[in-house]
Amino acid sequence: MKIYTKTGDKGTTALFGGTRVPKHHIRIDSYGTVDELNSHLGLIRDQDIHKHYQELIMTIQDKLFTVGAILATDPEKAILKNGKERLNIEKIKAADIELLEQEMDTMNKALPPMTHFVLPGGHQTVSFCHIARCVCRRAERLASALYDLEPFEDNALKYLNRLSDYLFVLARKLSHDLQANEIKWIPEKR
């Protein structure tokens, strides 16, 4: 597989299905941000954290490739002439979203109740989680805007929403596990 093709030298790229669009198209921005998120998750996975979190993050990374593929598919060419889907991969299922919810419920049981917003930081690994959470929220905003223009599978959008919540809870849990100082945001009064 050749890495450089020169086909994008004029600022366009091909969607899955062959349609060429500008590289600044919201669809490209959407799946590019999902790719950026996936890279940040790799950074978290490379930290000295519990193996369970590393394995779950690898599962999440796999699901993000699926989300990216969904976002990269031209909706007008998603169905082939024979009626089959062009994207012949396992889609995001309700069970994938439920797994994130179950993981959050489990982590929350070990954490003190949240009474205030939390300032990102306290430990480098925790900060990586907060950065990933913010990138996930941006991916969700872009995917949501794309969904308004060209709807795609609902579960892909739901997965991004739940994942940003998961990353927030994971940041709190890692703060707890690493005995990092979790700083509450307490606004100054006038």
Side-chain angles (χ1 to χ4, degrees):
M1 179 175 161
K2 196 168 186 174
I3 298 298
Y4 63 93
T5 62
K6 301 182 184 180
T7 56
D9 288 354
K10 293 189 178 177
T12 65
T13 192
L15 298 176
F16 190 57
T19 304
R20 294 203 69 81
V21 296
K23 289 186 177 186
H24 60 270
H25 191 281
I26 189 167
R27 184 171 292 283
I28 307 307
D29 210 7
S30 294
Y31 74 73
T33 305
V34 169
D35 186 38
E36 179 185 351
L37 170 60
N38 211 330
S39 296
H40 283 289
L41 290 175
L43 185 60
I44 297 167
R45 185 172 47 95
D46 289 343
Q47 302 302 302
D48 187 19
I49 59 176
H50 194 279
K51 186 174 176 72
H52 173 75
Y53 301 131
Q54 291 173 333
E55 289 171 355
L56 184 62
I57 288 171
M58 201 171 320
T59 298
I60 292 167
Q61 288 181 291
D62 177 74
K63 298 302 175 192
L64 286 178
F65 265 91
T66 300
V67 170
I70 291 166
L71 296 174
T73 301
D74 180 348
E76 292 182 13
K77 295 185 179 179
I79 305 297
L80 300 170
K81 289 180 182 178
N82 63 8
K84 293 188 177 185
E85 289 187 47
R86 178 177 296 279
L87 194 59
N88 188 22
I89 61 173
E90 188 75 29
K91 301 298 187 317
I92 301 296
K93 301 178 299 262
D96 299 322
I97 297 163
E98 290 164 7
L99 174 63
L100 295 176
E101 292 170 352
Q102 292 164 2
E103 289 291 325
M104 284 186 277
D105 292 344
T106 299
M107 288 187 290
N108 270 325
K109 288 178 186 172
L111 295 172
M114 209 175 123
T115 57
H116 294 80
F117 286 108
V118 176
L119 296 179
H123 190 282
Q124 184 175 359
T125 303
V126 174
S127 295
F128 290 152
C129 274
H130 283 291
I131 291 168
R133 172 186 55 80
C134 292
V135 172
C136 188
R137 284 286 186 213
R138 178 164 31 96
E140 181 187 6
R141 289 190 302 271
L142 289 164
S144 174
L146 175 62
Y147 186 87
D148 282 351
L149 299 171
E150 299 175 339
F152 50 86
E153 297 171 43
D154 288 356
N155 280 345
L157 194 56
K158 289 177 187 175
Y159 191 80
L160 290 173
N161 183 35
R162 210 67 83 251
L163 179 56
S164 59
D165 296 334
Y166 169 81
L167 290 168
F168 177 76
V169 177
L170 179 62
R172 289 198 70 221
K173 182 67 168 78
L174 291 176
S175 286
H176 180 266
D177 294 353
L178 297 166
Q179 299 179 339
N181 190 16
E182 188 174 77
I183 301 171
K184 295 175 183 169
W185 178 63
I186 303 171
E188 294 180 25
K189 302 207 189 264
R190 290 184 178 192

